[in-house]
Amino acid sequence: MADFVTRFAPSPTGRLHRGHALSALTAWTAARAAGGRFLLRIEDIDPTRCKPEFETGILDDLDWLGLDRDGPVRRQSDHLHEYAGVVDVLDRRGLLYRCFRTRREILDAIGDAPHGPADAARPGPHPAEEEAALLAGGRPFAWRLSLDRARAALGDRAWAQLSFVEEGAGPDGERGLIPARPETAGDVVLARKDAGTAYHVAVTHDDALHGVTHVIRGHDLFEATHVQVLIQALMGWPTPVYRHHPLLLDASGRRLAKRDKAETLQSLRERGMDPAQLRAELGF
Ligand code: GLU
């Protein structure tokens, strides 16, 4: 039965910690309670940060937690051409423009999910002559989605109706029917000529491909939903229901993060923790 389809979509940039366990358990429990499907998607579109051994680690950790998956694991790096195809469709509709900011600025804006507030840059297209000169000079560029052109393409009426249903809660307790505000993220970077496609494209493409009905994830991705709803509308994809959940915080009240060396599930396991104990600790 596939009336309810959800997924766990980690990026293999490190080993999973308790925060990931909470997300995976929330999604898995919801799928099982609904008699639905729980999919696993490896979001490894950023080749500089993702490593195959972390993917293996994710599978081991989910097995240890007892979270069985439905269907094959989707590895995004095996499908880059599909995401490039989406960018191509949007480009051919004239919705994108080239941005020649520095390599670092663009790389920072691509690949990984934007946990936390988005960079609302809207540099706008370069004047044609300037652009031609930059291209002739071989300057690398990224494709940004123009909010102005997206709005013109959808029409004011459809634009005003962009929205999603939040069954969990955003960071400020947002719930129910949420009007989408794609402008909070600015003209997002959707692709870079030589570094593939950005997170927002891959995530919305795969959710649509797999018929995901419920996106269950931490509320640090609540803001990302606004631009994802816009991409869904532009591509004619359905908007799933969203259930953002609160984040696990460390002792100082900050989100558990790989970069802060949050204790990994691997290390809990090696310390002899029983998975049932962790599930109980996380409220399952
Ligand atoms: N891959 C993203 C992350 O590591 C999650 C994407 C999503 O759930 O939409 O946080």
Side-chain angles (χ1 to χ4, degrees):
M1 172 176 144
D3 294 335
F4 186 108
V5 182
T6 190
R7 68 343 182 248
F8 177 52
S11 303
T13 56
R15 294 297 303 235
L16 302 186
H17 53 61
R18 280 186 172 84
H20 298 107
L22 174 69
S23 246
L25 276 161
T26 306
W28 180 87
T29 305
R32 294 293 168 256
R37 288 162 56 77
F38 173 70
L39 312 178
L40 175 62
R41 189 162 81 214
I42 302 294
E43 302 212 319
D44 60 344
I45 54 175
D46 180 351
T48 60
R49 303 190 46 221
C50 298
K51 295 205 168 67
E53 60 263 35
F54 295 138
E55 178 181 329
T56 314
I58 288 167
L59 296 170
D60 290 348
D61 290 340
L62 295 181
D63 288 344
W64 177 69
L65 275 169
L67 306 187
D68 58 326
R69 282 84 65 187
D70 298 301
V73 178
R74 167 95 169 174
R75 184 188 300 118
Q76 289 190 326
S77 61
D78 293 338
H79 301 276
L80 298 178
H81 60 285
E82 293 169 48
Y83 313 131
V86 176
V87 173
D88 208 43
V89 166
L90 296 171
D91 181 36
R92 277 188 275 118
R93 285 165 58 191
L95 302 179
L96 310 183
Y97 64 86
R98 291 187 182 86
C99 170
F100 294 86
R101 289 188 168 189
T102 66
R103 192 178 162 75
R104 185 72 261 156
E105 284 171 302
I106 299 298
L107 280 181
D108 283 348
I110 207 165
D112 213 3
H115 297 273
D119 155 32
R122 298 191 65 184
H126 285 264
E129 249 170 60
E130 202 178 299
E131 178 173 295
L134 288 163
L135 280 175
R139 272 279 291 279
F141 63 85
W143 289 111
R144 281 185 189 268
L145 174 63
S146 161
L147 287 177
D148 291 338
R149 297 179 193 172
R151 182 177 183 139
L154 286 179
D156 286 342
R157 215 185 136 89
W159 182 269
Q161 283 169 358
L162 290 175
S163 60
F164 60 98
V165 172
E166 176 60 61
E167 287 186 352
D172 295 320
E174 301 92 333
R175 230 191 128 82
L177 186 66
I178 312 282
R181 292 174 284 100
E183 57 282 358
T184 55
D187 291 344
V188 285
V189 172
L190 291 193
R192 198 182 115 87
K193 210 166 176 5
D194 53 347
T197 309
Y199 155 76
H200 293 300
V201 171
V203 118
T204 50
H205 173 275
D206 286 357
D207 285 341
L209 179 73
H210 292 138
V212 168
T213 59
H214 291 73
V215 171
I216 300 175
R217 60 186 181 187
H219 74 196
D220 49 335
L221 287 166
F222 180 79
E223 284 304 321
T225 311
H226 293 278
V227 62
Q228 291 173 12
V229 167
L230 172 59
I231 295 171
Q232 288 154 0
L234 291 169
M235 293 302 296
W237 294 331
T239 291
V241 168
Y242 288 83
R243 288 189 191 170
H244 290 95
H245 61 73
L247 304 180
L248 275 187
L249 303 177
D250 66 14
S252 59
R254 293 201 309 155
R255 176 174 86 90
L256 293 186
K258 289 168 193 159
R259 63 177 171 278
D260 300 326
K261 306 260 180 300
E263 185 168 20
T264 64
L265 302 186
Q266 178 185 30
S267 126
L268 296 179
R269 184 159 73 233
E270 284 166 5
R271 285 205 282 121
M273 188 182 224
D274 182 339
Q277 191 188 333
L278 178 62
R279 291 167 75 125
E281 186 193 301
L282 296 173
F284 293 87

